[in-house]
């Protein structure tokens, strides 16, 4: 029990006639990052939303610290399961434009009844400090911050309940290259300090490789490969993983030419 | 990355309270607000303002002309028109307030629930709303007058119900627009109940259009209320503008001017409500942008140098400066960019958002967003300076000699037309060939860009093909007139990585086959390494470094280039998992 924090067992989801999650089995260990990589329509976001309780499942179980939370809405979750948090892709729409940063950060605390509004406000500075934002950010509005800063605010909100698990849905995809690297470092630093586990959903294999301990590759609603990060990203077994790996261009013209040839050979063979 | 995100940010973002201020700085908004304030003051302080009581009558002043104590004369019963007008304000506003409150309370509440929860509830509520809208309001009001009697307040409650579908529809549509925003998802993950999400997140965000609707409906209620009273459906004992209108109408041949005063009061009040609504709407639509270019002259663009001597140079951009008008003057987004592109060469324009790379590309295409200008510099294309060329001249170049591949393939295809039409139309206009010939060429092009079934794609509508296919179609359209220069703005950013590899492959093949010159705007160094011959790195409107692709990656010169390349995540050692003890977990 204690070596697994989330255990998805045979999870299926249907949207009408579409079978979007097909018998998903996935585990996340405490303090671990599991990267969930796939292309659009692969079901990776649907799986993340199912674990968060804001997306449906048709069958199967999602066990979090011994408690089945599959299909339970966030507001009905009890105990530690209530602290599962999310960081979403677009830092421009994930923060309500008409609320101050302080109101945004204390919302989870007040919603869970953990503290009154005044007491919760005292924690705001600590949260801002954790994501390296200045104290005076509290009274400002989201529009006054850049994309990278907004994503730090979203991370601070996710940390407000001291969660054991954060589901990150493409949290750096909308950011510039240099900002992306800094935000990823922040994720790693927070994990090493607090021991939070991440389910890290991304289409970008290089991002996933940077942050993950284990990687699951999704395609068409199925996990086609799941294993240690090093093994999946350096020596993939499944043909689709191989293609995904070779398709991402690398920032080196010589190696990229080799990879291109390898990809061409692979597609011809397939 | 897109054109919108790189247009200059406003100097200072307006705060919440500045909506009020900017409505009041709008002359119409200010006049309307002042008039409404006057009307409200008259209503509240009626007993202090009116010289006589509302039903104070003096027999000898029936239909009296203005003067002698009666400021605006006497009415048909010998009462002071001015005093009745002031008291009438009170009753008119109370009536309008009743209708408005009922309409807004029912309509907004129902709209919030229908929009947020959707499903069967929305269907039922929409049926009810449609049914109410189909009823003729005046006839319903007359029927209720028959059964419920002469209270104008009851009539206004019923009228409020009749008006509620307007609020319902507006609110429901607004809620449908915001309920899928990520901050609503974040609130749900935080454990907020639906009621609190509606109150905290949704109502707060949609309030502005609802306020505009309130102002307009207030005007409508006053008109209808006056109309009812004019028809005699009001209480004759209560002074109202509509009732006064009726009285003045009865005596129109005796005192033609008496009808003017209540008429004026109604018109001015209603017009003020509508103008105020317009002022708020203008402010919201305008957003943070400058509506009209500021009155600062754009400096006359001065060309730099003469045409390049080397015929192998297709494009020579020199000290290009692009600006956008803001309240404080011209903001430069491209600050003196120089680029050279030889025939058959692929030049990568790489940088982060706001670096000016897209604006540089759009300046070459002559497609800057509204207000944007080339302030100085020159763009030599095939021996001719095309900077600030008249649009008619530019049109002859665009499509034929300079082609464009956009970032979002789907939004660049018109959903209303078949793909075949969108491919053949430019060929017919630009090349002047017949439709049949254009079709033959289009089918050949579709096959060339890798469509498995060209005829089927030719007859398809854009929504019937995938994003990757749409980008292939746009590439086919771009090369259909055999351009010398192709400008591609993040052509693979919106695509999946395996599709991106295929599209890059296609672009590389076509470029070599047609010996095209390509300017490729991208933020992805992998794409640069894959397809470009030379690279210009941009930062803050300037080119910091231009070099051949091999030397850029092997030996970057500028600190900024080094910083960007260091941020690339290609070669990282995977992290090692250390099991965490349970007690360590709690933060």
């Amino acid at each position: 029990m204690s070596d697994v924090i989330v255990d998805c067992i045979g999870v299926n989801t249907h949207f009408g006639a579409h079978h979007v999650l097909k018998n998903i089995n996935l585990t996340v260990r405490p303090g671990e990052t599991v990267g969930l990589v796939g292309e659009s329509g692969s079901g990776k976001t649907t799986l993340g939303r199912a674990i968060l309780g804001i997306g449906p499942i048709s069958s199967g179980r999602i066990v979090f610290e011994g408690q089945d939370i599959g299909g339970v809405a966030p507001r009905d979750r009890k105990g530690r399961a209530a602290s599962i948090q999310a960081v979403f892709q677009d830092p421009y729409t994930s923060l309500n434009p008409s609320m101050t940063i302080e109101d945004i950060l204390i919302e989870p605390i007040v919603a869970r009844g953990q503290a009154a509004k005044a007491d919760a406000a005292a924690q705001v500075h600590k949260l801002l400090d954790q994501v390296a934002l200045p104290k005076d950010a509290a009274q400002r509005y989201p529009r006054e911050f850049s994309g990278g800063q907004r994503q730090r605010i979203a991370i601070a909100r996710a940390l407000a309940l001291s969660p054991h698990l954060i589901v990150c849905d493409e949290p750096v995809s909308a950011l510039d290259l240099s900002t992306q690297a800094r935000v990823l470092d922040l994720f790693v630093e927070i994990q090493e300090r607090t021991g939070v586990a991440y389910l890290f959903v991304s289409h970008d294999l290089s991002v996933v490789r940077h942050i993950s301990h284990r990687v699951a590759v999704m395609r068409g609603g199925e996990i086609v490969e799941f294993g240690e990060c090093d093994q999946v990203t350096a020596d993939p077994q499944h043909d689709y993983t191989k293609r995904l790996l070779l398709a991402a261009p690398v920032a080196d013209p010589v190696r990229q030419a080799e990879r291109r040839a390898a990809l061409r050979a692979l597609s011809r063979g397939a | 990355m897109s054109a919108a995100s790189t247009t200059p940010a406003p100097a200072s973002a307006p705060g919440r309270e500045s909506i009020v201020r900017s409505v009041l700085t709008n002359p119409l908004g200010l006049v309307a607000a002042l008039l409404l304030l006057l009307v409200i003051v008259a209503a509240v302080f009626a007993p202090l303002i009116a010289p006589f009581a509302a039903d104070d009558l003096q027999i000898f002043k029936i239909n009296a002309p203005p003067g002698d104590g009666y400021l605006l004369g006497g009415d048909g019963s010998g009462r002071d028109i001015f005093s009745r007008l002031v008291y009438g304000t009170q009753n008119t506003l109370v009536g309008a307030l009743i209708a408005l409150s009922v309409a807004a309370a029912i309509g907004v509440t129902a709209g919030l629930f229908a929009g947020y929860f959707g499903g069967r509830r929305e269907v039922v509520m929409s049926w009810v709303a449609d049914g109410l809208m189909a009823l003729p309001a005046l006839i319903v009001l007359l029927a209720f007058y028959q059964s419920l009697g002469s209270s104008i307040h009851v009539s206004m409650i019923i009228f409020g119900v009749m008006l509620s579908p307007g609020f319902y529809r507006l609110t429901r549509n607004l809620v449908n627009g915001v309920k899928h925003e990520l901050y609503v998802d974040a609130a749900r993950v935080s454990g907020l109940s639906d009621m609190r999400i509606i109150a905290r997140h949704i109502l707060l965000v949609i309030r502005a259009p609802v306020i505009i609707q309130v102002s307009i409906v207030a005007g409508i209620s006053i008109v209808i209320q006056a109309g009812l009273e004019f028809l005699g459906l009001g209480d004759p004992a209560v002074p109202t503008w509509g009732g006064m209108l009726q009285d003045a109408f009865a005596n129109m041949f005796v005192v033609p001017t008496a009808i003017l005063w209540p008429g004026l009061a109604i018109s001015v009040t209603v017009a003020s409500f509508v103008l105020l609504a317009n002022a708020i709407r203008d402010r919201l639509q305008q957003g943070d942008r400058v509506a009209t270019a500021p009155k600062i002259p754009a400096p006359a663009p001065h060309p730099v140098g003469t045409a390049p001597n080397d015929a192998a140079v297709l494009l020579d951009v020199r000290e290009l400066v692009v600006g956008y008008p803001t309240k404080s003057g011209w903001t430069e987004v491209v600050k003196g960019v120089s680029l050279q592109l030889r025939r058959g060469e692929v030049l990568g324009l790489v940088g982060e958002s706001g670096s000016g790379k897209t604006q540089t590309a759009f300046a070459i295409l002559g497609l800057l967003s509204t207000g944007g200008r080339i302030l100085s510099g020159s763009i030599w294309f095939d021996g001719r300076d095309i900077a600030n060329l008249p649009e008619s001249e530019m049109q002859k170049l665009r499509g034929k000699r300079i082609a464009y591949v956009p970032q979002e393939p789907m939004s660049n295809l018109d959903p209303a037309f078949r793909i075949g039409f969108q491919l053949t139309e430019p060929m017919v206009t630009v090349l002047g060939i017949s439709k049949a010939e254009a079709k033959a060429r289009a089918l050949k092009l579709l096959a060339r860009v890798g469509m498995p079934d060209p005829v089927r794609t030719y007859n398809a509508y854009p929504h019937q093909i995938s994003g990757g296919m749409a980008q292939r179609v746009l590439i086919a359209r771009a090369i259909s007139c055999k351009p010398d220069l192709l400008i591609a703005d993040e052509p693979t950013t919106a695509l999946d990585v395996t599709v991106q590899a295929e599209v890059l492959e296609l672009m590389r093949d076509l470029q070599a086959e047609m010996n095209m010159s390509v300017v490729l705007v991208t933020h992805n160094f992998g794409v640069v390494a894959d397809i470009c011959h030379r690279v210009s790195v941009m930062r803050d409107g300037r080119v910091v470094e231009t070099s051949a692709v091999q030397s850029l990656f092997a030996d970057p010169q500028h600190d900024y280039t080094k910083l960007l390349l260091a941020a690339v995540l290609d070669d990282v050692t995977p992290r090692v998992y250390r099991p965490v003890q349970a007690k360590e977990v709690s933060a």
Side-chain angles (χ1 to χ4, degrees), chain B residues 311-335:
Chain B
V313 173
L314 178 73
L315 180 75
D316 191 355
V317 177
R318 291 186 206 154
E319 292 164 43
L320 180 73
V321 177
V322 175
Y324 280 85
T326 55
K327 280 171 186 152
S328 51
W330 290 90
T331 299
E332 291 176 2
V333 292
V334 177
K335 303 167 181 170

Side-chain angles (χ1 to χ4, degrees), chain A residues 73-96:
Chain A
R75 65 170 179 280
D76 299 326
R77 291 184 172 179
K78 301 280 182 287
R80 292 301 320 170
S83 72
I84 299 175
Q85 284 293 305
V87 176
F88 293 106
Q89 171 172 11
D90 187 347
Y92 291 88
T93 62
S94 67
L95 307 175
N96 190 328

